[in-house]
Amino acid sequence: MKMKKTAFTILLAFCGIITIEAQDNILDLVHRTNDYFMEKYSDPTLDTYVNKRRTSNLWTRAVYYEGLMALYEIDKQQRYIDYTDRWADYHKWTARHSVHDTDADNQCCQQTYIDRHIQSGMQKDLSKVKENLDYQMSTNRYDYWTWIDAIQMAMPVYAKYAKLTGERKYLDYAMNSYRWSRDTLAGGLFNKQEGLWWRDKDYVPPYKESDGNNCYWSRGNGWVYAALVRVMETLPKSDKAYKELKKDFILMSRALVKCQREDGFWNVSLVSPVTYGGPEMTGTSLFLYGMAWGVRNGILKQKDYATVMEKAWKAMASCVHPNGFLGWNQGTGKDPSAGQPVTFTSVPDFEDYGTGCFMLGAIEYYKLTKK
């Protein structure tokens, strides 16, 4: 599929920021990575085996389906829907483990359940999604999201369901939970002065990297950045929650620009290159996802982010092997040391979430160039 030569693309090419040929290649690389994944994991119902058995609606696979839903928006191939519905049907459109599961990781799959319900003309059964969200809300607790990854895994589920049903209580619950993680947990996991997030209570000061800098894990910040996008896109711009999240989004965006590497990637420890410094694909993809969305929606200024995004895209494109395998993908974990060494040829413990991150970033950038 070739991209239309829009004024935006032509302008960037004229300024020497990006070539039209490079833009034409975005979807080719997205298709290559997704085809690799769908062929390798042709049966979406099969459990995963990384040290132990896990059902295939775990968070890593759920992130892949976030990317696949983004691809379907611009390339409506029936096989994407068949693959997704086979997976969701097998898991009975239910949070991982049970409707009483309050672990954000196990709620992540419900983002795609809601998306498919809407795409199908409200034909899918979301009764178990409602039961799961209602159960957690009935506990009157807002302190479940004790690690920042959880914000991406669960917060968009509540926001999407609030928009679908028109019931504000789901969004209000998500916002209260978000504020607890941001402002209260360990004194607040969001350092508003630096615009970046500590991963959990183990990394707030006095914890420091060996060079004396704070530890801000790249992909963890990427999860929050993506969550802000995925919640804001469910809300009208006049909504008070939108305005609150937009403020945090802008602070993060400005901070991320400052710590991008010259090669377009971000280090796994964002402001501490001495800590496993080097290319890393997943955080980079999520940052491009957020920036492209922010520019496309008028929150971020194109002139301030065009070069940053182009460098990020070139870095991401360099991760794709001829067969679609993605290199520079940090394995699962909670900090910069996880899955090291991260290289172009190293195989992460799970491939699915990396593919999802890559597709989210690449597709949002593609949509921006077509604006």
Side-chain angles (χ1 to χ4, degrees):
M1 181 182 296
K2 296 297 183 182
M3 184 168 33
K4 184 178 179 181
K5 305 326 190 261
T6 64
F8 176 82
T9 306
I10 294 170
L11 175 62
L12 292 180
F14 178 77
C15 295
I17 295 173
I18 190 172
T19 65
I20 292 175
E21 291 76 13
Q23 286 300 302
D24 286 342
N25 199 38
I26 296 175
L27 278 189
D28 291 338
L29 293 182
V30 170
H31 284 137
R32 188 189 305 174
T33 57
N34 186 58
D35 289 347
Y36 164 85
F37 184 87
M38 289 184 66
E39 181 178 351
K40 184 172 182 178
Y41 301 95
S42 58
D43 186 345
T45 71
L46 293 180
D47 293 344
T48 65
Y49 293 88
V50 179
N51 299 321
K52 66 178 182 179
R53 171 181 282 185
R54 295 175 176 86
T55 57
S56 66
N57 58 344
L58 76 168
W59 73 266
T60 63
R61 190 62 55 88
V63 172
Y64 163 73
Y65 282 104
E66 292 178 43
L68 187 61
M69 291 297 93
L71 179 56
Y72 181 72
E73 285 183 13
I74 61 170
D75 180 23
K76 297 189 182 302
Q77 294 193 38
Q78 183 62 37
R79 65 189 181 108
Y80 300 155
I81 295 307
D82 294 342
Y83 188 75
T84 303
D85 285 356
R86 184 181 177 194
W87 168 77
D89 287 343
Y90 179 79
H91 295 295
K92 303 184 187 306
W93 302 80
T94 304
R96 185 167 178 251
H97 295 322
S98 79
V99 294
H100 297 136
D101 200 308
T102 59
D103 186 325
D105 286 349
N106 296 331
Q107 295 179 320
C108 188
C109 55
Q110 297 178 123
Q111 293 190 49
T112 297
Y113 298 165
I114 296 170
D115 289 346
R116 282 296 302 127
H117 177 72
I118 295 170
Q119 290 168 355
S120 68
M122 315 302 178
Q123 296 300 308
K124 304 301 181 182
D125 182 7
L126 294 187
S127 60
K128 297 300 183 183
V129 173
K130 174 178 170 55
E131 193 173 348
N132 176 251
L133 302 187
D134 286 349
Y135 173 77
Q136 180 162 319
M137 290 167 57
S138 73
T139 67
N140 295 314
R141 288 177 51 189
Y142 302 109
D143 59 355
Y144 290 106
W145 302 346
T146 59
W147 70 111
I148 59 175
D149 315 31
I151 296 172
Q152 194 284 143
M153 303 302 160
M155 191 178 182
V157 180
Y158 288 88
K160 286 172 178 284
Y161 196 73
K163 181 179 181 180
L164 173 67
T165 62
E167 295 188 73
R168 180 82 187 191
K169 64 180 181 179
Y170 295 100
L171 177 65
D172 288 344
Y173 179 83
M175 289 300 300
N176 285 332
S177 298
Y178 171 75
R179 294 182 189 114
W180 180 83
S181 301
R182 183 190 64 189
D183 303 329
T184 302
L185 174 59
L189 295 182
F190 186 36
N191 184 344
K192 296 180 181 179
Q193 285 68 44
E194 295 195 32
L196 298 170
W197 293 70
W198 293 291
R199 197 269 181 177
D200 57 45
K201 64 180 179 59
D202 294 335
Y203 298 94
V204 302
Y207 185 95
K208 297 288 183 181
E209 300 283 32
S210 61
D211 58 3
N213 288 316
N214 286 325
C215 178
Y216 300 119
W217 182 36
S218 177
R219 189 165 67 236
N221 276 265
W223 290 137
V224 178
Y225 203 49
L228 296 178
V229 167
R230 297 177 72 77
V231 174
M232 283 192 292
E233 66 185 5
T234 71
L235 301 172
K237 293 183 178 181
S238 59
D239 193 285
K240 61 181 181 180
Y242 179 95
K243 295 177 180 179
E244 181 178 348
L245 297 177
K246 176 184 173 181
K247 182 178 179 180
D248 293 346
F249 179 78
I250 292 173
L251 287 175
M252 288 192 72
S253 299
R254 291 171 177 168
L256 290 169
V257 168
K258 294 177 182 178
C259 56
Q260 187 184 32
R261 293 163 51 95
E262 282 301 314
D263 61 8
F265 288 101
W266 277 264
N267 288 309
V268 290
S269 187
L270 290 172
V271 299
S272 180
V274 302
T275 307
Y276 302 101
E280 201 286 313
M281 180 270 296
T282 61
T284 299
S285 297
L286 293 171
F287 299 148
L288 179 60
Y289 173 54
M291 290 178 186
W293 184 88
V295 171
R296 196 164 65 85
N297 285 274
I299 298 174
L300 305 178
K301 293 182 179 179
Q302 178 181 311
K303 66 181 181 63
D304 295 333
Y305 290 87
T307 300
V308 177
M309 291 187 296
E310 174 56 14
K311 288 169 62 177
W313 168 245
K314 288 181 178 178
M316 287 170 57
S318 74
C319 297
V320 184
H321 286 236
N323 68 347
F325 172 77
L326 287 165
W328 302 112
N329 183 358
Q330 186 184 22
T332 59
K334 61 181 288 183
D335 64 23
S337 69
Q340 295 292 344
V342 177
T343 69
F344 180 63
T345 57
S346 59
V347 180
D349 49 0
F350 293 88
E351 293 184 77
D352 38 14
Y353 65 90
T355 306
C357 291
F358 181 89
M359 290 199 291
L360 286 172
I363 292 165
E364 194 62 38
Y365 189 51
Y366 171 79
K367 290 194 294 188
L368 173 65
T369 63
K370 290 182 68 65
K371 183 175 180 181

